[in-house]
Amino acid sequence: MAEIIQKDGTWAFDGDALRLTPGRDKNVSLLRRELGELVVPLRALAGISLEQGKKAGRLRLRLRDGADPLLHATGGRLTEPHDPYQLIVESDRYGVAEYFVDEVRSALLLDQVPAGPVDAYLLPGPSVPLSVSAGDGTAGFDGERIRLEWNWKTEDAKAAAGARTLALADITGVEWHPAAGLDNGHLRFTVRHAPTKTPPKYDPNAVELWGFKKDPLMALVAAAVQARLPHPARAADDDPADALPEPPSAPVASPEDDHDALLRRLRELGELHRSGVLTDEEFSLAKQAVLKRM
């Protein structure tokens, strides 16, 4: 098991999944603390890297497209303090961080995890029920219904209709944008048969955000809803007539087949090493992992 413990958090890897636990340091963002511990299966990863600086560096995970409802709902707009897939590493722990990276990369190579997109969420999203107050309203979600309530800062035109309850079955999309510069952010729900281009300030299906401390927490509501919507890769496959037949199930491999597969993997690793794709160290680690299986 590989593990790195920092004030920013603790990352642990057991060969099958990474466990990301936010730290208790005052600089850890409110969103990461509220999100809590994340368990990321190896098959959800596209890569890992270590960026070194003079005083501190940063471990970064890159997830496969479509694996995490939080990343999909936020559209890659989570800034560094709020991104749960980054870890600040002190310079005197670079050796541990490099070992951690090698362990994860070796497992990705050994298990031949593809880096391409997936057609189903591999992370569950934030737990429900949850409720967040920020900007001009409060957004709550219990797994089936979204409740939007307004405060004294809400525009009269939007608040006049009172609180709104949206059924999950009527939602076709959700998006979260942070405030940036002079532009306010928002949490917006797209309702079936009711598309709108109304600014969030007046949209009764949106909460306007002004860049305050609790604004990023609205991303948790967006992710919880997104996790319960049809996956974007399958949204176009609602018509059963368009469904492709399932491929035949693969036969169970015998020990001899497993041995042959591992030999082929060794040859593949050798070719990758000779072509310069793998460094000497990466090749050595991956080779050792294959030999252990044999």
Side-chain angles (χ1 to χ4, degrees):
M1 179 173 176
E3 183 179 58
I4 180 167
I5 302 174
Q6 295 288 274
K7 287 188 284 187
D8 194 40
T10 299
W11 284 13
F13 177 57
D14 63 5
D16 296 316
L18 291 96
R19 192 174 297 273
L20 316 180
T21 307
R24 298 181 179 180
D25 188 74
K26 64 180 181 180
N27 293 322
V28 176
S29 76
L30 184 59
L31 182 147
R32 287 179 58 203
R33 293 201 300 268
E34 289 293 325
L35 186 59
E37 185 177 84
L38 288 176
V39 178
V40 183
L42 183 66
R43 67 183 185 280
L45 283 186
I48 182 172
S49 63
L50 171 63
E51 300 170 1
Q52 297 186 15
K54 290 183 178 179
K55 294 183 178 180
R58 197 175 297 272
L59 274 174
R60 294 181 187 267
L61 291 182
R62 184 166 58 89
L63 271 63
R64 299 170 66 187
D65 289 343
D68 181 21
L70 174 63
L71 294 184
H72 183 82
T74 57
R77 291 178 288 269
L78 281 176
T79 55
E80 288 189 356
H82 310 298
D83 188 344
Y85 302 113
Q86 298 185 32
L87 181 72
I88 297 175
V89 179
E90 297 169 3
S91 58
D92 62 351
R93 304 296 288 171
Y94 283 166
V96 176
E98 289 173 346
Y99 172 76
F100 190 92
V101 168
D102 289 340
E103 287 291 296
V104 175
R105 285 179 176 173
S106 295
L108 289 170
L109 284 170
L110 181 59
D111 288 8
Q112 301 185 53
V113 177
V118 296
D119 60 2
Y121 292 122
L122 301 179
L123 283 88
S127 58
V128 294
L130 77 163
S131 178
V132 175
S133 296
D136 69 350
T138 297
F141 181 52
D142 63 4
E144 296 180 357
R145 291 172 297 277
I146 299 154
R147 177 79 172 174
L148 300 178
E149 300 177 351
W150 314 116
N151 56 38
W152 64 272
K153 295 171 284 188
T154 310
E155 280 291 320
D156 291 343
K158 184 161 72 171
R164 288 182 65 79
T165 300
L166 306 172
L168 181 64
D170 294 331
I171 303 299
T172 60
V174 56
E175 63 180 16
W176 172 86
H177 279 260
L182 299 177
D183 296 327
N184 292 336
H186 65 263
L187 167 69
R188 191 199 296 271
F189 301 96
T190 304
V191 180
R192 194 182 311 276
H193 306 309
T196 179
K197 294 184 179 179
T198 304
K201 184 175 185 177
Y202 304 104
D203 186 355
N205 298 321
V207 176
E208 186 178 34
L209 305 173
W210 299 308
F212 297 148
K213 183 178 179 180
K214 290 188 176 181
D215 283 8
L217 294 181
M218 283 293 183
L220 300 181
V221 179
V225 173
Q226 185 66 58
R228 290 159 178 82
L229 294 177
H231 192 277
R234 296 184 176 182
D237 297 335
D238 291 338
D239 186 355
D242 295 333
L244 296 175
E246 293 186 3
S249 57
V252 178
S254 66
E256 291 78 8
D257 292 335
D258 289 340
H259 189 270
D260 290 342
L262 292 172
L263 288 176
R264 286 196 299 273
R265 185 59 182 156
L266 281 175
R267 287 194 291 270
E268 291 171 359
L269 290 172
E271 292 172 0
L272 291 172
H273 180 229
R274 286 190 293 274
S275 62
V277 175
L278 294 179
T279 65
D280 292 345
E281 188 175 3
E282 289 172 338
F283 171 68
S284 178
L285 288 170
K287 179 181 176 182
Q288 291 173 17
V290 174
L291 292 176
K292 285 180 182 178
R293 281 200 173 188
M294 295 178 68

